[in-house]
């Protein structure tokens, strides 16, 4: 680092110095933490797949530090490639037989940050750990039932594929029906949702990688 | 904390000298006392965004934080089963959620204005982490960068400048100073090792973010073929402005894609080259403004830009703030606020 960019030291008011041994211990501890912290913030994104078993094992060793400080991020914004969006279409059935349908996220909700948080929820269906998909779907169904008082909710996963440049030039719109792919998730009732389900046997042993735990950023999720 | 000047450099071997130089530079880099003005500005802007983000959580507290909400208890417990995560929201009964939420916003407001900042900076960090760890499935890049900035603001003296704490400190000094001597009263910059440590940690963390953002992109073909930017702007769910006219200018899309990759990949190195730093930061500002304006993530984009304050010279920050905070040398040569 160029010395010219070092902060100036003038104006420092001298403070009483602690005993030399205590100061030395403090310096050693501070440097030790600093080296560990720098190592930790590098090893976490480095452990996102594809990565070596060595890096992944090292990450596992320091993972409690990341999780406690909310530093478990992979920073793969729009990497390895910006992919399709995942939305959820729903149909609610109320006690009197009427139905209501909609889609999450709803583009008309404001503010944008509120919309974006809903978008993260549905993106997690595609980008989160596969064995948690049923729980994500149940959480969405549970919230819809709670909000609306519906007696039955049917969820459909909707993949929205970006149109290519050639398709746009030939007149296709970004919202053309041909750009959507739908997959039925299932139908849920409040009674069924109240019963706990046991996640897939491997859920407990799944090692959730950075950004699959504690953070859900679709821009960085397609590498999973 | 600089190296021991009594070390007989001449008598040591080349290896010893190299190690000594490295140690000295390490100390200079991390532990040279710095002007905390940048941390003060970062605190105000980060605090303001944090308040906004927390208010947005509050639009649907039972949905985001409730046991039967989007982030249901069973989902988050399964997601964090092996993790040592923390959130006080697990212990908040549903009937008191709103009260706790508004208390949190009150504490964040104190942090933003810089009152009892040593306490409120740690509290703000705990509050933010608690929301994010409980509503883990609804978080994204904004929450990550807020968490990173808050962590380092809690380490450094974030309330030393641009704060109510500082006003109280100055008022107290003014009251205690005899009336005749008040005209000569100055406010020396309180250079601090922890201010430098916090700013350096933000700088290094930004380098890590951009390096891994670039290396992750390089695994995908569209970033090599130049189509990646198109895939982002053609994503209807992100889009806030229609950029489909870019389909008629594929070379422009490819050029911008290549610039993004080259910039992200080189940021960690070139931002330390003093003459190139303004260019690196300017490109970053433009990129994040673009993400904010066209992909609808202005909160994330603006917070990434806010973090660039850590890369500015303190004098530049004071100059940007204008006269009330501008550094003026006194007759004694001591800089003043």
């Amino acid at each position: 680092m160029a010395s010219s960019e070092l902060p100036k030291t003038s104006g420092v008011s001298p403070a009483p110095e602690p005993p030399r041994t205590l100061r030395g211990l403090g310096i050693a501890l501070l440097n030790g933490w600093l080296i560990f912290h720098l190592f930790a913030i590098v090893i976490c994104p480095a452990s996102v797949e594809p990565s070596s078993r060595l890096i992944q094992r090292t990450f596992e060793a320091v993972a409690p530090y990341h999780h406690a400080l909310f530093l478990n991020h992979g920073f793969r914004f729009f990497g390895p490639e910006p992919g399709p969006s995942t939305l959820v279409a729903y149909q609610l059935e109320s006690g009197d037989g009427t139905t209501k349908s909609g889609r999450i996220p709803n583009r008309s909700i404001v503010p944008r940050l509120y919309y974006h948080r809903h978008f993260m929820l549905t993106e997690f269906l595609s980008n989160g750990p596969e064995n948690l998909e049923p729980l994500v779907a149940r959480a969405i169904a549970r919230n819809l039932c709670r909000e609306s008082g519906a007696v039955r909710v049917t969820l459909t996963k909707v993949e929205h594929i970006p149109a290519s440049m050639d398709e746009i030039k030939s007149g296709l719109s970004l919202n053309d029906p041909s750009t959507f792919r739908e997959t039925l998730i299932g139908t849920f009732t409040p009674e069924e949702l109240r019963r706990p389900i046991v996640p897939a046997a491997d859920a407990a042993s799944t090692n959730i990688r950075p950004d699959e735990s504690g953070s859900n950023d679709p821009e960085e999720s397609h590498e999973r | 904390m600089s190296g021991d000047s009594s070390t007989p450099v001449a008598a040591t071997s080349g290896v010893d000298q190299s190690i000594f130089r490295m140690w000295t530079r390490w100390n200079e880099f991390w532990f040279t006392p710095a002007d905390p003005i940048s941390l003060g500005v970062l605190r105000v802007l980060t605090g303001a965004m944090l308040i906004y983000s927390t208010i947005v959580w509050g639009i649907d507290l039972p949905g985001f934080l409730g046991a039967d909400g989007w982030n249901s208890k069973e989902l988050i417990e399964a997601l964090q089963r092996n993790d040592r995560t923390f959130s006080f929201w697990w212990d908040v009964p549903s009937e008191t959620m709103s009260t706790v939420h508004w208390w949190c916003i009150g504490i964040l407001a104190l942090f933003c204005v810089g009152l009892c900042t040593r306490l409120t900076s740690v509290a703000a960090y705990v509050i933010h982490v608690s929301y994010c760890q409980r509503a883990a499935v609804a978080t994204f890049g904004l929450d990550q960068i807020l968490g990173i900035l808050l962590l380092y603001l809690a380490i450094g003296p974030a309330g030393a400048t641009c704060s109510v704490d500082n006003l109280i400190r100055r008022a107290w000094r003014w009251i205690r100073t005899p009336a005749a001597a008040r005209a000569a009263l100055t406010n020396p910059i309180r250079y601090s090792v922890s201010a430098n440590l916090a700013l350096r940690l933000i700088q290094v963390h930004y380098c890590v973010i951009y390096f891994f953002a670039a290396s992750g992109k390089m695994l995908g073909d569209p970033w090599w073929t130049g189509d990646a930017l198109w895939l982002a702007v053609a994503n209807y769910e992100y889009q806030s402005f229609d950029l489909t006219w870019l389909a008629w200018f594929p070379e422009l899309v490819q050029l911008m894609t290549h610039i993004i990759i080259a910039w992200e990949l080189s940021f960690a190195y070139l931002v330390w080259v003093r003459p190139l730093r303004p260019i690196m930061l300017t490109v970053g500002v433009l990129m994040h403004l673009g993400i904010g304006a066209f992909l609808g993530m202005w909160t994330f984009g603006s917070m990434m830009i806010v973090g660039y304050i850590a890369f500015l010279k303190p004098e530049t920050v004071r100059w940007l703030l204008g006269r009330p905070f501008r550094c003026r040398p006194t007759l004694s040569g001591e800089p003043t606020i």
Side-chain angles (χ1 to χ4, degrees), chain B residues 109-158:
Chain B
L110 295 182
F111 167 70
C112 186
V113 300
L115 185 59
C116 303
T117 318
R118 267 293 166 211
L119 286 176
T120 53
S121 60
V122 176
Y125 178 64
V126 170
I127 288 169
H128 175 68
V129 171
S130 289
Y131 276 85
C132 294
Q133 304 275 38
R134 178 62 190 85
V137 179
T139 59
F140 69 112
L142 168 69
D143 305 293
Q144 299 174 10
I145 192 65
L146 278 175
I148 288 166
L149 292 175
L150 286 167
L151 172 63
Y152 299 135
L153 286 170
I155 290 172

Side-chain angles (χ1 to χ4, degrees), chain A residues 1 5 10 31 37 67 69 77 80 85 107 112 115 117 138 143 163 204 208 213 215-218, chain B residues 26 70 74 79 82-83 125 133 137 139 143-144 152 191 200 217 223 230 235-239 274:
Chain A
M1 187 188 60
E5 77 179 65
S10 59
N31 277 289
H37 179 77
H67 292 137
L69 294 182
F77 306 111
S85 303
R107 286 266 306 193
R112 180 74 183 198
Y115 162 84
R117 295 214 180 281
R138 275 169 61 89
N143 191 65
I208 296 167
S213 159
S215 171
N216 169 35
D217 200 340
Chain B
W26 169 270
W70 305 112
E74 68 175 4
L79 181 67
N82 298 320
D83 303 344
Y125 178 64
Q133 304 275 38
V137 179
T139 59
D143 305 293
Q144 299 174 10
Y152 299 135
Y191 289 88
R200 292 299 194 196
K217 288 180 176 71
W223 289 101
W230 171 259
N235 186 312
Y236 179 74
E237 280 65 41
Y238 277 109
Q239 189 188 74
R274 179 55 83 180

Side-chain angles (χ1 to χ4, degrees), chain A residues 99-119:
Chain A
T99 61
K100 183 186 169 191
S101 57
R103 188 177 280 179
I104 309 166
N106 176 357
R107 286 266 306 193
S108 65
I109 61 171
V110 287
R112 180 74 183 198
L113 179 56
Y114 188 51
Y115 162 84
H116 210 74
R117 295 214 180 281
H118 284 95
F119 187 24

Side-chain angles (χ1 to χ4, degrees), chain B residues 225-246:
Chain B
T225 59
D227 297 328
L229 193 67
W230 171 259
L231 292 174
V233 300
N235 186 312
Y236 179 74
E237 280 65 41
Y238 277 109
Q239 189 188 74
S240 47
F241 280 99
D242 186 2
L243 290 179
T244 48
W245 54 268
L246 282 170

Side-chain angles (χ1 to χ4, degrees), chain B residues 18-73:
Chain B
S18 297
I19 293 170
F20 176 75
R21 269 200 300 273
M22 275 175 60
W23 176 243
T24 305
R25 286 190 177 179
W26 169 270
N27 276 337
E28 283 177 351
F29 183 80
W30 292 107
F31 303 119
T32 304
D35 181 349
I37 185 72
S38 306
L39 286 181
V41 178
L42 274 168
R43 189 205 74 246
V44 173
L45 298 173
T46 306
M49 181 60 80
L50 187 57
I51 291 170
Y52 173 67
S53 169
T54 308
I55 286 172
V56 171
W57 286 124
I59 295 173
D60 185 12
L61 276 181
F64 285 124
L65 305 172
D68 291 326
W70 305 112
N71 299 277
S72 70
K73 191 167 180 281

